[in-house]
């Protein structure tokens, strides 16, 4: 016989698997005919664009490219410093057990290092090492029993939980486009290098839409026709909408920003300017913070019940926080003393992050690549150094079981050449922390009455409490109720019983009903 129950539907977004891999993308870059031969390379930078991502049966696939800017010393005295651009395509397949095409993928791809080798005056071999972090998610709709409606003496063990239920997800594309104006005296000869990143991210929910605002931060080093080296920095606003039904302003969002394509080129229409266009993919998941009353176990003194019990993993305690880390260090680079710093490439690297006792602790380093004026043949040189990074953030809900995702954004950086070869470094890093917990929840479904019974005889059992006993387990074992045991034994706190304690267990004896023909 089935039982009338009240259910609540939850959408559980859970991680099926996550992996980190390193891959090497290698290829040759050919010097265009209009460029002079290469003597040696000076500096190489790159931007990663992911134009396709797929979840397949038992694996994922990522397709993209690395756009490269290579500064080099020309093999003649007249040309001096020059640059070439190139692109290396990559495809990476990663095995993921239990994943399928209906699941979603989150990935982060960053450049770890770039190696250049001059093969001859017209060809360079490039090896780019990429760090890939990937997570595969599944969405599962689960019906949770909240209440039994047609059985009077049902005994249920309930708990109240705060969980994060997935409301919806969606994607969209947006573009950042602008023309960057140069000084009127700067006749652009070549773009030497670029750095591009998505910064100042912000989201807002309104009218079944998620508004994603950000800036595309771009830094361009270029060469003028009169052989001056200049650097310009700009922020290009980008804004997009992701449509998701049934969302509210109080919901929480995970928003991913992925560069799919970047165009940086001299503007052919307007002099003294550079055209920039970036295509950005937005992918959003929206979560609702729900308080649910959950039945974890049940029984009936009068009926023999049959039900399924299973354990699910779900998300809880999701929150976002930001913290600014101020780095103030002096680094010794005597070679730069008396010269001009054109640019400094700043790259934070985190070796480990640990959550313990309401605190998240980070250990790592900041890699610095100084590009400065020099008296050598190229008139430009580079020097690398590192600054230790140790930082902690106070978050009340942080624990060793927390799931933590951290993104670091460089908010400000300034480098001043001091005396005796020291450079004063001022770097402000913003730690954007996305934290949650994974909890195991016992749920019940498909409750049925296995056989009908009728009450016959009242009895009393004497029982001595054993270690790990609870009143719930004792009452269920003897088909009694917690309320009756508490009443008969004058127990003040039902959560406080001790081994060896004598209890009187009141109960009725039930026998199977005879069903007439």
């Amino acid at each position: 016989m089935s039982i009338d129950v009240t259910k609540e539907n939850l959408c559980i977004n859970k991680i099926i698997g996550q992996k980190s891999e390193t891959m090497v993308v290698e290829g040759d870059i050919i010097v265009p005919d209009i460029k002079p031969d290469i003597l040696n390379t000076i500096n190489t930078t790159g931007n990663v664009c992911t134009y396709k991502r797929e979840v397949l049966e038992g694996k994922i696939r990522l397709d993209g490219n690395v756009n490269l800017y290579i500064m080099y010393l020309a093999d003649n005295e007249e040309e001096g410093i020059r640059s070439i651009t190139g692109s290396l395509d990559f495809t990476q397949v990663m095995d993921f057990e239990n994943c399928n095409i209906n699941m979603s993928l989150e990935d982060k791809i960053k450049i770890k290092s770039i190696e250049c080798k001059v093969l001859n005056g017209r060809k360079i071999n490039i090896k780019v090492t990429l760090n890939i972090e990937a997570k595969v998610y599944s969405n599962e709709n689960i019906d949770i029993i909240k209440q039994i409606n047609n059985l009077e003496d049902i005994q249920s063990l309930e708990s109240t939980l705060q969980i994060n239920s997935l409301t919806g997800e969606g994607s969209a594309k947006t573009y950042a486009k602008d023309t960057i104006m140069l000084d009127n005296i700067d006749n652009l000869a070549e773009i030497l290098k670029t750095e591009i990143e998505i910064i100042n991210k912000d989201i807002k929910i309104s009218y079944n839409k998620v508004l994603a605002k950000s800036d595309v931060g771009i830094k361009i080093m270029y060469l003028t026709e009169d052989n001056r080296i200049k650097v310009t920095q700009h922020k290009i606003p980008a804004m997009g909408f992701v449509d998701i039904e049934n969302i509210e302003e109080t919901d929480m969002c995970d928003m991913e920003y992925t560069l799919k394509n970047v165009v940086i080129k001299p503007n052919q229409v307007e002099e003294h300017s550079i055209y920039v266009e970036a295509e950005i993919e937005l992918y959003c998941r929206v979560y609702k913070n729900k308080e649910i009353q959950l039945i974890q176990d049940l029984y009936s003194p009068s009926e023999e019940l049959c039900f399924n019990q299973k354990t699910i993993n779900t998300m809880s305690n999701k929150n976002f926080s930001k913290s600014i880390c101020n780095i103030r260090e002096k680094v010794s680079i005597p070679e730069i003393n008396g010269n001009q710093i054109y640019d400094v490439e700043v790259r934070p690297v985190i070796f480990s992050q640990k959550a313990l006792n309401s605190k998240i602790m980070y250990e790592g380093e900041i890699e610095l690549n100084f590009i400065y004026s020099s008296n050598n043949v190229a008139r430009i040189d580079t020097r690398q150094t590192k600054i230790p990074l140790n930082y902690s953030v106070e978050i009340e809900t942080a624990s060793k079981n927390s799931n933590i995702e951290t993104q670091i954004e460089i908010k400000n950086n300034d480098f001043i050449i001091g005396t005796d070869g020291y450079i004063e470094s001022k770097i402000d890093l913003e730690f954007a922390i996305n934290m949650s917990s994974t909890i195991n929840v016992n749920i019940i479904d498909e409750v049925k009455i296995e056989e009908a019974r009728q009450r016959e005889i009242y009895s009393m059992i004497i029982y001595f409490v054993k270690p790990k006993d609870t009143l719930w387990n004792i009452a269920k074992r003897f088909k009694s109720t917690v309320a009756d045991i508490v009443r008969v034994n004058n127990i003040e706190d039902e959560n406080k019983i001790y081994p060896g304690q004598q209890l009187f267990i009141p109960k009725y004896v039930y026998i199977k009903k005879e069903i007439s023909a």
Side-chain angles (χ1 to χ4, degrees), residues 224-276:
T224 65
E225 290 184 355
D226 55 354
N227 286 322
R228 288 178 295 113
I229 296 172
K230 301 288 291 292
V231 174
T232 183
Q233 296 188 64
H234 289 266
K235 296 176 184 177
I236 305 174
M239 183 174 67
F241 293 93
V242 181
D243 294 320
I244 302 177
E245 294 183 354
N246 303 318
I247 58 176
E248 300 174 347
E249 291 183 7
T250 55
D251 293 343
M252 294 173 287
C253 294
D254 283 345
M255 180 71 75
E256 298 175 42
Y257 301 76
T258 303
L259 280 174
K260 292 182 68 69
N261 191 32
V262 176
V263 176
I264 303 172
K265 62 182 181 180
N267 194 335
Q268 301 299 324
V269 178
E270 192 169 358
E271 292 184 344
H272 311 290
S273 66
I274 298 172
Y275 177 74
V276 177

Side-chain angles (χ1 to χ4, degrees), residues 166-332:
L166 181 69
T167 303
E169 57 185 334
S171 62
K173 289 182 182 179
T174 186
Y175 294 85
K177 302 178 183 180
D178 201 2
T179 296
I180 298 175
M181 301 304 300
L182 309 179
D183 292 339
N184 288 333
I185 62 172
D186 292 346
N187 293 317
L188 180 64
E190 292 194 39
I191 297 174
L192 298 177
K193 66 183 287 287
T194 68
E195 292 181 44
I196 187 168
E197 58 181 341
I198 303 171
I199 59 174
N200 300 330
K201 302 168 186 174
D202 188 27
I203 56 176
K204 183 179 180 180
I205 298 176
S206 180
Y207 302 107
N208 291 328
K209 294 181 183 291
V210 181
L211 169 62
K213 296 195 297 184
S214 64
D215 291 323
V216 174
I218 184 163
K219 183 194 295 184
I220 301 174
M221 177 182 288
Y222 61 94
L223 181 70
T224 65
E225 290 184 355
D226 55 354
N227 286 322
R228 288 178 295 113
I229 296 172
K230 301 288 291 292
V231 174
T232 183
Q233 296 188 64
H234 289 266
K235 296 176 184 177
I236 305 174
M239 183 174 67
F241 293 93
V242 181
D243 294 320
I244 302 177
E245 294 183 354
N246 303 318
I247 58 176
E248 300 174 347
E249 291 183 7
T250 55
D251 293 343
M252 294 173 287
C253 294
D254 283 345
M255 180 71 75
E256 298 175 42
Y257 301 76
T258 303
L259 280 174
K260 292 182 68 69
N261 191 32
V262 176
V263 176
I264 303 172
K265 62 182 181 180
N267 194 335
Q268 301 299 324
V269 178
E270 192 169 358
E271 292 184 344
H272 311 290
S273 66
I274 298 172
Y275 177 74
V276 177
E277 179 179 326
E279 179 185 355
I280 303 168
E281 182 181 61
L282 305 172
Y283 186 79
C284 180
R285 298 184 187 90
V286 180
Y287 299 90
K288 192 177 298 295
N289 189 32
K290 278 193 174 184
E291 181 179 285
I292 60 171
Q293 197 74 21
L294 194 68
I295 298 177
Q296 295 186 302
D297 195 8
L298 56 81
Y299 69 94
S300 168
S302 62
E303 310 291 353
E304 191 68 30
L305 301 183
C306 175
F307 58 85
N308 293 328
Q309 191 172 36
K310 62 182 179 180
T311 300
I312 62 170
N313 298 324
T314 187
M315 185 186 298
S316 181
N317 297 322
K318 188 172 184 63
N319 65 74
F320 302 92
S321 61
K322 291 183 178 181
S323 180
I324 297 293
C325 172
N326 305 115
I327 307 293
R328 303 292 184 264
E329 291 282 344
K330 287 186 176 181
V331 294
S332 176

Side-chain angles (χ1 to χ4, degrees), residues 14-18 96-99 103 135-138:
K14 60 182 179 180
I15 298 175
I16 297 299
Q18 54 185 356
F96 270 84
E97 189 176 354
N98 300 323
C99 78
M103 296 179 181
K135 291 182 182 179
V136 176
Y137 293 86
S138 73

Side-chain angles (χ1 to χ4, degrees), residues 307-448:
F307 58 85
N308 293 328
Q309 191 172 36
K310 62 182 179 180
T311 300
I312 62 170
N313 298 324
T314 187
M315 185 186 298
S316 181
N317 297 322
K318 188 172 184 63
N319 65 74
F320 302 92
S321 61
K322 291 183 178 181
S323 180
I324 297 293
C325 172
N326 305 115
I327 307 293
R328 303 292 184 264
E329 291 282 344
K330 287 186 176 181
V331 294
S332 176
I333 307 181
E335 300 92 325
I336 299 181
N337 194 25
N339 293 313
Q340 176 186 355
I341 297 176
Y342 293 124
D343 185 32
V344 183
E345 297 169 0
V346 181
R347 192 168 76 97
V349 179
I350 299 298
F351 301 143
S352 68
Q353 60 180 18
K354 297 178 182 178
L356 188 66
N357 299 328
S358 303
K359 183 183 292 186
I360 303 176
M361 294 163 286
Y362 298 91
E363 292 185 9
E365 63 187 17
I366 303 175
E367 298 178 353
L368 303 176
N369 182 34
F370 288 86
I371 302 175
Y372 61 95
S373 63
S374 173
N375 295 324
N376 66 18
V377 177
R379 300 182 294 107
I380 193 170
D381 211 338
T382 62
R383 174 68 188 273
Q384 293 77 38
T385 189
K386 298 175 182 179
I387 297 176
L389 175 59
N390 294 283
Y391 186 59
S392 62
V393 181
E394 296 281 349
I395 299 179
E396 185 177 347
T397 56
S399 69
K400 64 179 181 179
N401 297 320
S402 298
N403 303 315
I404 301 169
E405 294 183 8
T406 305
Q407 295 187 19
I408 301 177
E409 182 179 313
I410 303 165
K411 303 299 289 187
N412 297 291
N413 64 86
D414 190 23
F415 301 90
I416 301 172
I417 301 174
T419 58
D420 301 327
Y422 282 95
I423 298 174
E424 294 184 9
S425 304
K426 297 180 181 180
I427 305 170
D428 297 329
L429 304 176
E430 181 182 76
F431 284 66
I433 302 166
N434 184 348
M435 190 175 70
S436 64
S437 302
T438 300
I439 59 174
N440 296 323
V441 179
N442 295 321
I443 66 170
I444 287 173
D445 60 6
E446 299 181 17
V447 182
K448 296 181 179 180

